Amino acid sequence: MTQNPRMAEGRFEPLKNDLLLRAATGKDVDRPPVWVMRQAGRYLPDYHKIKGGRDFFACCRSPQIACALTLLPIDIYDGLLDAAIIFSDILVIPQALGMVVEMVDGKGPHFPKRLESPLATKDDSQYDEIMEKDVNVKGELGYVFDAITLTRQKLNGRVPLIGFCGAPWTLLSYMVEGGGTKLFIAAKTWIYKYPEESKRLLQKIADLCVEFLAQQVVAGAQMVQVFDSWAGELSPVSFATFALPYLRHIASTLPKRLAELGQDCVPMTVFAKGAWYALDDLCDSGFNVVSLDWLQDPAEAMKIARGRVTLQGNADPGILYGTKEAITDAVEKMVVGFGGGKKGWIANLGHGITPLVQPKDLRFFLEEIHRIGGR
């Protein structure tokens, strides 16, 4: 009889590199830990070999494939990365809510039937169906938890494993837009025309995020991150109304849920891309780490944070298309801006690595973080 990999909790190898977890909780470190958003991505040639001809979400649903892709950059950049992040996608939550999501080559995520209106008609009651759906998180998203447990086993304690989810505002945006967008017409229509219905949906998603993250920790995740990729599309007032309360809900409720499950709390990161105006509020939102995009100045961010949280980021991903001199200069400025890198900073890019980056250039970036940050 095959053992359920989620039953293997407690059999993981002791963590050999806890630099990330120490930095995330405000402890002094010898050098800044570093990892990269989308580090298990299309820029790696072996990514395509492992993925083969499989659909993107088919890879997410296969614990073996998700594990192999998660481990790929850890093996390639052996000793240079201080964390692994599970190979998955933020849109597994809308899928768990019953929505169909496809990944279309050259286009990105696509919802064949987007959430058009909260007002039920004889032909469309999708909003009510979603609001009434009692999601069995362990059942619907068990493949993510299985992938996490398998990956923890395969990591053998080399580095911590990060779990993640999308933030309520970003997920609502995808659900009502039907995919990516530049104008956010549907999302803005929802929050400004149907604010109360939007808030109910946001709360539904937030509660689901809490349970999803909690079960990831049960499965073996040692840190979690909430991605609010479209936060910058909201004004400061709208962010305070339709994004921040639900981020705070996740940060305050997740530790309680973990306690109910007999789990210790893990460090929590929030990445509200583009919401530079909300940094002060995010530092008081209950998260241990606030991740910054590349539009924020590190020194100014440190002044605003005032030691309340660890900051993460924030090199322009485009720097990896530059010369070695340009990469070195960017790293030097980051290290100085973040106060030397010995406390309160996790080195990263300001967003995910892009597909055309050469792996050798990321290697040089990581080496420079080690060299300059370890001085």
Side-chain angles (χ1 to χ4, degrees):
M1 181 177 178
T2 302
Q3 182 186 18
N4 184 334
R6 272 177 276 160
M7 298 301 291
E9 182 65 40
R11 298 187 185 180
F12 301 130
E13 289 293 320
L15 188 58
K16 302 178 182 71
N17 175 356
D18 66 350
L19 201 63
L20 178 79
L21 304 185
R22 285 191 285 127
T25 51
K27 295 181 175 63
D28 293 331
V29 291
D30 295 331
R31 64 167 177 82
V34 59
W35 67 280
V36 175
M37 287 180 269
R38 293 184 189 153
Q39 62 190 30
R42 290 176 288 167
Y43 72 101
L44 292 171
D46 285 349
Y47 169 92
H48 303 281
K49 294 179 184 176
I50 294 171
K51 183 174 180 287
R54 300 174 186 86
D55 168 78
F56 173 82
F57 283 113
C59 293
C60 294
R61 288 189 291 269
S62 166
Q64 291 74 24
I65 298 298
C67 173
L69 290 169
T70 302
L71 294 175
L72 183 60
I74 304 302
D75 293 335
I76 291 174
Y77 300 111
D78 187 31
L80 291 175
L81 287 167
D82 296 301
I85 182 166
I86 195 66
F87 183 85
S88 186
D89 194 84
I90 65 171
L91 297 181
V92 298
I93 284 183
Q95 289 176 333
L97 283 166
M99 300 187 77
V100 175
V101 188
E102 304 166 343
M103 195 63 72
V104 180
D105 288 342
K107 179 180 178 181
H110 171 67
F111 291 64
K113 185 180 180 184
R114 70 180 181 90
L115 195 53
E116 293 191 20
S117 169
L119 306 179
T121 67
K122 65 177 183 178
D123 298 318
D124 185 7
S125 59
Q126 192 176 17
Y127 175 81
D128 290 340
E129 291 169 5
I130 286 175
M131 294 304 299
E132 293 168 7
K133 185 176 177 64
D134 183 13
V135 180
N136 180 342
V137 172
K138 289 201 286 186
E140 295 285 351
L141 297 170
Y143 58 88
V144 178
F145 312 135
D146 289 344
I148 286 172
T149 300
L150 181 61
T151 303
R152 271 293 303 275
Q153 293 168 341
K154 297 284 189 181
L155 277 169
N156 291 319
R158 283 185 285 172
V159 293
L161 179 60
I162 302 171
F164 69 92
C165 73
W169 157 249
T170 290
L171 294 179
L172 179 146
S173 296
Y174 274 111
M175 291 162 69
V176 303
E177 293 286 352
T181 179
K182 293 182 178 180
L183 299 178
F184 291 85
I185 294 171
K188 297 297 180 72
T189 298
W190 268 72
I191 62 173
Y192 295 133
K193 193 171 186 178
Y194 310 112
E196 296 309 313
E197 291 87 349
S198 294
K199 289 176 183 177
R200 285 197 288 272
L201 179 55
L202 288 164
Q203 187 61 54
K204 172 89 173 183
I205 296 170
D207 290 335
L208 189 51
C209 287
V210 169
E211 186 64 18
F212 182 41
L213 292 174
Q215 295 299 334
Q216 290 186 58
V217 174
V218 171
Q222 293 152 290
M223 187 168 175
V224 295
Q225 178 157 322
V226 179
F227 287 86
D228 211 348
S229 306
W230 301 125
E233 298 302 323
L234 293 169
S235 69
V237 171
S238 296
F239 181 84
T241 304
F242 297 105
L244 187 59
Y246 306 98
L247 294 173
R248 284 179 169 154
H249 175 79
I250 293 170
S252 64
T253 309
L254 179 57
K256 300 172 187 175
R257 180 58 179 145
L258 287 173
E260 291 174 354
L261 293 168
Q263 300 290 316
D264 293 331
C265 193
V266 300
M268 302 177 293
T269 301
V270 61
F271 178 41
K273 183 178 179 291
W276 57 267
Y277 50 78
L279 178 55
D280 189 46
D281 287 331
L282 289 168
C283 289
D284 282 334
S285 63
F287 288 88
N288 306 93
V289 181
V290 176
S291 198
L292 309 175
D293 62 39
W294 68 96
L295 302 180
Q296 290 191 293
D297 178 73
E300 288 300 313
M302 290 290 279
K303 289 178 184 177
I304 293 170
R306 301 192 309 278
R308 289 173 289 170
V309 296
T310 292
L311 295 177
Q312 177 175 272
N314 71 332
D316 179 352
I319 198 67
L320 298 179
Y321 293 114
T323 62
K324 286 187 174 181
E325 291 76 16
I327 293 172
T328 297
D329 183 62
V331 171
E332 286 178 339
K333 285 183 168 61
M334 271 204 307
V335 171
V336 171
F338 284 111
K342 301 297 193 296
K343 186 174 183 177
W345 178 42
I346 297 167
N348 206 315
L349 299 177
H351 197 220
I353 189 169
T354 49
L356 298 181
V357 166
Q358 295 298 310
K360 64 180 177 59
D361 294 321
L362 176 60
R363 177 179 293 278
F364 183 73
F365 172 80
L366 298 173
E367 290 171 344
E368 290 296 83
I369 292 288
H370 280 247
R371 182 180 69 85
I372 299 168
R375 286 174 178 170

